[in-house]
Amino acid sequence: MARKDSFFGRLAESITKFSGSTAAFILAATTVLAWAITGPLFKYSETWQLVINTGTTIVTFLMVFLIQRAQNKDSLVLHLKLNELIAATKGASNRLINAQDFSEEEIRLIHEFYCLLAEKAKQDNDLGETHSVEEAEDNHHEKLAVHRE
């Protein structure tokens, strides 16, 4: 598949990759060291201090957005891969496809659903046997009926 990223997309990805590299760390450390060494030359003036403060503030401000952009992309790709696994796995609940788009209330309800499923599985002494609350309840009732006989 051909990549058709925008110029900004390619630039942001390149900067993000570079910023996590050893070379970027060495560049940053060298910059701070050079600034520190020039302190006596500038008599540790307020302007000398302002240079490093302003520089680091600007770099930090811009990096926050680049890092968030990269994290958003990584998160979306991860969700797509998980959605593919859910869609391709027999017995998996398709209710969870695109769960990242659910409201907090929907997520809480689904969490409660899986807590109930886990509790049913514990009662049956088999954590891997069932795939839905309905199946768990049916299996639980069947086992109870067998034990009562």
Side-chain angles (χ1 to χ4, degrees), residues 65-105:
F65 295 102
L66 288 176
I67 291 168
Q68 186 61 52
R69 183 183 189 281
Q71 188 171 356
N72 289 348
K73 181 180 176 184
D74 289 348
S75 179
L76 180 59
V77 168
L78 181 62
H79 289 296
L80 290 171
K81 290 177 180 182
L82 289 171
N83 289 344
E84 173 64 16
L85 290 172
I86 291 168
T89 303
K90 183 179 178 186
S93 173
N94 287 339
R95 298 178 216 188
L96 295 180
I97 293 177
N98 287 334
Q100 70 274 10
D101 296 330
F102 293 173
S103 69
E104 287 185 30
E105 178 64 19

Side-chain angles (χ1 to χ4, degrees), residues 117-137:
L117 179 63
E119 187 58 38
K120 295 289 183 186
K122 280 182 192 176
Q123 291 172 1
D124 290 340
N125 292 322
D126 188 347
L127 294 175
E129 183 177 327
T130 57
H131 297 286
S132 70
V133 170
E134 294 81 11
E135 285 178 298
E137 287 176 342

Side-chain angles (χ1 to χ4, degrees), residues 48-66:
W48 173 79
Q49 293 177 33
L50 188 61
V51 166
I52 196 72
N53 290 338
T54 303
T56 57
T57 300
I58 290 169
V59 169
T60 301
F61 179 75
L62 295 174
M63 287 305 297
V64 165
F65 295 102
L66 288 176

